[in-house]
Amino acid sequence: MSGQTVPADFSGHMLDLDEDEDLEVFSKNISLEDGNPMPNSPGSMVNQYRLEDDEEQQDPNTKDLFITVDKPESHVTAIETFIMYRVITKTTRGEFDSSEYEVRRRYQDFMWLRSRLEENHPTLIVHPLPEKFVMKGMMDRFNNDFIETRRRALHRFLNKISEHPILSYSECLKVFLTAEDLTAHRKQGAGFLSRMGETMKAVANSVRGLKSRPEEFTVMQEYVEDFGNKMSSVDRVAQRIAKEQREYLDELKQYGPTYTQWAGFEEELGDPLKGVASCVDRCSKETEEQVCHLSEVLIPTLHEYVLCSETLKAVMRRRDNIQAEFEAKNEALISRKADQETLQEEVDGLADRLEQANNALKGDWSYWKNSMTTDLKSAFISTAEKNVDYYEKYIAVAVGFLTCTHVCHDKFGVCVNI
Amino acid sequence: MVEEGSTLLRRMEICVAEAEKRSGKNAVNMQETFTVYLIETRPMDAVAEGRNPAPDSLWRRYSEFELLRNYLIVTYPYVVVPPLPEKRAEFVWHKLSADNMDPDFVERRRVGLENFLLRVASHPVLSNDKILYYFLTEEDGWKEAVYETGFQAKADSRLRALSATFRVRNPDKRFMEMKHYSDELQSHTSQLLRARARVADRLYGVYKVHGNYGRVFSEWSAIEKEMGDGLQSAGHHMDAYAASIDDILEEEEHYADQLKEYLSYAEALRAVCRKHELNQFELEMASQDLISKKQQREELATGIVRTFSFKGMTNKLFGQEAPEQREARLKLLEELIAEGEETVKDKTIECEEHVERAWVDMQRFKEQKDKDLQEALINYAVMQISMCKKGIQVWGNAKECFLKM
């Protein structure tokens, strides 16, 4: 049975029958024998979100959902051309009918998935997608590097979702991974109008202002602002390094041949010159790999966390809106004498909703922080290792060269101390 | 390296110990600042015996070294004369100052000047030169002595002769090959130096940009509880990494200087080959002149005109000249022919001597070049290894910091 009990976002969706898939889940008969206590009362749902520290991430040993994104292919229709990615799922989870699925998805489909996840879990931190538009100059959507970069990011996105203790049990994720044709499902889901309604409410509430934001969320807000700035800075530095390395590589490619060309006109010196040439060539090769590594590992990770900071800001905003709505209704309750009962019920509902939202955020916040630490730590470690590897390989070639010439050193009486 | 004779360097320890700034008036009576270099010499036997006498010393400026070298080039045209360090900074990459007064440039020049003196003083032929000896020992009066040798006039006439274009019929093939080699040597070393300077510039950029990590990690660590320490210390290592490139590239400049020496040597080698061409050309001209004069004598003596000449034509048209006139002309010709034969003999000797001595010195140069450049290349590889070791250390440390995050 699905381990998910997503408290439907009551505001605006309470009467929205389009949320049938969530309501379906909500009313499913969940057996306690599964070992998954699936409470379906708001009160007990609160406990769901008090995640223990060591349960915050899915233990890799118990990972039971494996997703890959690959094989980007051009798809041509009468109206447009776009890229389809292959999404392969392997799972042992019971709620999936089969253990393997293969579907094709386009970027828009990923966008759909993500917006559904955000709608259903407004105060959970949903990993960002790669950017929709191409920012830089000449590159177009069909450039191979761009497609590959996007593919990796989409792969990472789905893996992040599949590792998330709550999101990975989302029904829309299951639909995304398994449905042959997603377009039918995409038509369902929060209507445009209800989304509009929510946005209007949010604007109205923010104009009103919050009475008092709990301290911990203010701290979070400040952190989120700073984090965004720092990530942007680090991202810029990494990109600058990659640029400098590329320029260095260009010059190296011109430098090596000067030794080889000279060697052609020398007798005794020919071999030592060629030896140095091969050192420089090796340096070139390794620098190229260094640049690749930076572009494929560190920079994408940093970039994702730059995008994450926007996600975090949105989450904070949504939480604030939920609080604002509650406060608005609460004030109305206090000031109005009529409709006390109805209002009271509404206020209670909103109060519960606020509490759930806050707890969801608190729980997910530490999950996210751990995840962020792990990802960035891993990316930096990998970069450091790559750099060590670079120097080690270069040393090997240089030592090889020295060993060769050392054999002839007696001829010239040259002594070498390494 | 030197088998026969005892060169100056064996008898005398030479070094260029210091450099100093001076002010004075130059040739056009304008105030200028220049650098002087201290040359110290000590008798070798004193050093060998363990005594430590104070060295004799005198100050010389770069232009005096140039004067000495020009004198040597003109006086020993069959020697590949060691070059001076560059007059102006060439193959500069952005950080290196092109300013002649820059302390790093002055220091590298000091080393280059010492190297020049050591090479000259250990050369089997050059080391015996008196002017060289005075250069090292007589601060005043040296300039006058040089000019008294009259080398300047020779220098000027040789320059004129070499700058004219002339065609040599039978140059020594080995010299032509050597000249071609000197062109290749010049071309390839300069390409290499140019490429190396650009690589150095880019590598500098890569290292320095990593310094930004230091600043950014430090700022970031302020907002992180767990990652803070790890980030902060990783940042310090990044600063160290960025700073390390300065020493690395400074050491590489010595490598570049070694290559620059041979870039200049290529020109000296070429000059020896050109001198051969000049000698050969002058010999051919003298021989040609002698042949034509002898032909003229024959015609005059026998009356048979073999070659067309204006005189011949006018003789035909207006009749032969008087016998007295003919006698006078014949006598003059005989004198010219005698002179011409002397000239040819001298030129032949000059040419052969030059070829013989130059060939010996070019062989010596070749061996020296192969040895020096192989050593330079090996040192370059050693430098690269040292750079890599530093890199491994820094990134290994950074990794440890990241692990603690």
Side-chain angles (χ1 to χ4, degrees), chain B residues 367-402:
Chain B
E367 268 187 45
Q368 175 199 295
K369 170 206 73 162
D370 286 340
K371 176 173 178 281
D372 287 351
L373 288 178
Q374 162 137 329
E375 199 180 314
L377 292 169
I378 287 172
N379 282 337
Y380 183 65
V382 170
M383 271 185 244
Q384 298 292 293
I385 289 172
S386 157
M387 173 182 86
C388 288
K389 285 190 171 163
K390 285 188 200 156
I392 288 172
Q393 194 179 40
V394 164
W395 284 103
N397 289 337
K399 179 180 163 184
E400 291 305 309
C401 296
F402 291 137

Side-chain angles (χ1 to χ4, degrees), chain B residues 58-94:
Chain B
L58 43 76
W59 295 94
R60 293 264 184 240
R61 52 185 295 192
Y62 186 83
S63 56
E64 291 176 274
F65 280 85
E66 278 184 306
L67 185 58
L68 172 64
R69 186 166 189 270
N70 288 338
Y71 160 78
L72 291 172
I73 289 173
V74 170
T75 314
Y76 304 94
Y78 52 91
V79 168
V80 182
V81 177
L84 287 171
E86 54 190 2
K87 202 169 164 68
R88 265 165 293 277
E90 305 269 353
F91 305 108
V92 170
W93 58 277
H94 91 278

Side-chain angles (χ1 to χ4, degrees), chain A residues 39 60 87 98-99 107 142 160 183 198 211 242 245 249 262 333 380 384 390:
Chain A
V87 179
S98 166
S99 60
Y107 182 79
F142 303 101
K160 280 284 181 196
T183 44
E198 181 171 352
K211 281 238 182 80
Q245 277 177 339
L249 180 61
W262 183 5
L333 177 65
F380 279 117
Y390 164 87

